Amino acid sequence: MLRVGGSLSSTILKLRPLQLPVQTHAGLPWTPVAPPAHVTAVRGVSGGGAGAGWYGGLADSAPVHLAEQFLVGVQQVSGLPWWASIAVGTLSVRTLVTLPLAAYQMVIVAKVEALQVEISELAKRLQYEVSVRAKERGWTDKQCQFQFKRNLRRIVSQLYVRDNCHPFKASLLVWVQLPLWISLSLALRNLSLDQSALQSELAAGGALWFPDLTAPDWTWILPVCLGLTNMLIVEVSSLHRPTGSRLQRLVLNSFRALSVLMIPIAASVPSSMALYWLTSSLVGFSHNLLLRSPVVHRLLQLQTQRSDSPYRDLLAALVNKYLK
């Protein structure tokens, strides 16, 4: 009889502003010494311009201040101009944090895909078991469907535990990448404010057509490049995912609309933020291409069949879909 961590037949049967007092020394008021400028730049720069409410609280949160300290640290250690420091910091975070998580996501997805054949076979045998038990106990069709779905969910859950590949683990990348993106974006926004001690450095830290990183890119080159890059990422991702259902087409079109919407948004924020967004998207796209390599698949020991010429296949798919 069928077993997945136990007998299938038995499974069916079990069916919230702090005001500091003025400090004194020898009975005289004492005024604290002002902190260094670079510390002021990364602490509380959003207090006067972040606004009230949830956005002000988010821009003045600990993760955003940590992101500010990280960006200032990268610039001070590297000695690079601010535009290059933003690019280097973005590359470091995406490579050291999100790239390993993306590889881990691939491993989980591959394991789940490899289980589909076994799940399909188990579902057929479970259907037979339920039909036999239904005749013995006089279950209705509704009761049979209830028993089948409940026990199939339990069996699939046991398989996920057995192979350590619960699909929720594949969403870990999103839960890390999104807060990082928000924190670094708000950190650059804070550092670009007039209240920041580093605002003048960022105002002279740009390059080419965006010399002032605290002002929006009036040429719209960065925003348009961002939108095109995001659109390319969406289209490449859609080539290997089914888009037959109405929900899948809705999700795909939503990502396309978001890619277009990011263009005017990026044109209205400081160039430092638009540069970060563009660099992040470019690095993410390059990582996606890297993870398609057969060498990486062998290193990760993926269990599903993969193409030996993924880049040629990707180019051919793009040509067939958009140029023919």
Side-chain angles (χ1 to χ4, degrees):
M1 195 61 65
L2 174 65
R3 286 182 175 272
V4 181
S7 171
L8 179 59
S9 300
S10 62
T11 302
I12 295 176
L13 292 174
K14 297 176 180 176
L15 298 185
R16 158 185 106 164
L18 182 63
Q19 296 292 336
L20 295 177
V22 176
Q23 301 184 33
T24 60
H25 182 69
L28 298 175
W30 172 73
T31 303
V33 178
H38 71 276
V39 176
T40 304
V42 296
R43 293 174 56 190
V45 297
S46 61
W54 66 269
Y55 181 81
L58 181 60
D60 198 32
S61 62
V64 174
H65 289 321
L66 287 174
E68 293 169 8
Q69 294 171 7
F70 168 74
L71 291 168
V72 172
V74 170
Q75 197 278 331
Q76 290 179 342
V77 171
S78 66
L80 295 171
W82 264 103
W83 70 269
S85 297
I86 293 173
V88 170
T90 305
L91 178 61
S92 301
V93 170
R94 292 299 303 256
T95 301
L96 299 178
V97 179
T98 60
L99 179 57
L101 289 176
Y104 178 70
Q105 181 186 59
M106 285 185 59
V107 172
I108 297 299
V109 171
K111 287 183 178 181
V112 172
E113 290 177 352
L115 280 176
Q116 297 311 303
V117 176
E118 185 176 358
I119 291 175
S120 179
E121 184 63 27
L122 289 173
K124 294 178 182 178
R125 297 170 62 180
L126 176 62
Q127 185 72 61
Y128 173 77
E129 294 278 353
V130 170
S131 64
V132 171
R133 193 54 52 90
K135 292 180 180 179
E136 295 177 354
R137 303 200 172 189
W139 290 343
T140 63
D141 291 342
K142 187 175 181 179
Q143 289 174 315
C144 289
Q145 287 297 317
F146 172 78
Q147 294 291 344
F148 174 77
K149 291 179 180 180
R150 185 181 69 170
N151 287 281
L152 182 60
R153 285 195 300 266
R154 186 171 300 175
I155 291 172
V156 171
S157 178
Q158 291 172 352
L159 290 174
Y160 289 156
V161 171
R162 185 195 71 186
D163 290 358
N164 191 25
C165 63
H166 196 283
F168 179 78
K169 294 182 178 181
S171 66
L172 183 61
L173 175 62
V174 176
W175 295 109
V176 174
Q177 183 172 318
L178 184 59
L180 274 174
W181 187 85
I182 293 175
S183 298
L184 287 168
S185 297
L186 291 179
L188 287 168
R189 185 257 184 198
N190 288 347
L191 294 175
S192 300
L193 291 175
D194 292 339
Q195 291 82 5
S196 170
L198 296 176
Q199 190 266 350
S200 60
E201 294 186 17
L202 270 80
L208 301 176
W209 67 90
F210 54 100
D212 186 353
L213 290 175
T214 65
D217 180 11
W218 63 271
T219 68
W220 283 57
I221 295 178
L222 288 176
V224 170
C225 289
L226 171 65
L228 292 176
T229 302
N230 288 339
M231 185 67 76
L232 179 60
I233 293 173
V234 172
E235 298 305 323
V236 169
S237 299
S238 68
L239 294 175
H240 299 277
R241 295 179 183 178
T243 57
S245 71
R246 182 178 181 181
L247 177 60
Q248 291 167 339
R249 291 195 300 269
L250 178 61
V251 171
L252 176 60
N253 290 330
S254 298
F255 281 115
R256 288 170 172 162
L258 181 61
S259 299
V260 176
L261 180 62
M262 285 300 295
I263 297 178
I265 293 177
S268 64
V269 300
S271 297
S272 57
M273 294 176 64
L275 176 62
Y276 163 63
W277 293 347
L278 175 58
T279 305
S280 181
S281 293
L282 288 173
V283 174
F285 182 60
S286 64
H287 286 171
N288 288 338
L289 294 179
L290 175 64
L291 292 175
R292 294 172 182 266
S293 170
V295 176
V296 174
H297 292 170
R298 287 194 294 268
L299 291 175
L300 296 178
Q301 299 180 351
L302 300 184
Q303 302 178 14
T304 53
Q305 292 293 328
R306 303 284 173 169
S307 172
D308 293 330
S309 56
Y311 306 116
R312 187 186 309 161
D313 295 344
L314 176 61
L315 180 60
L318 287 172
V319 170
N320 291 333
K321 185 174 181 179
Y322 300 105
L323 298 180
K324 287 188 177 182

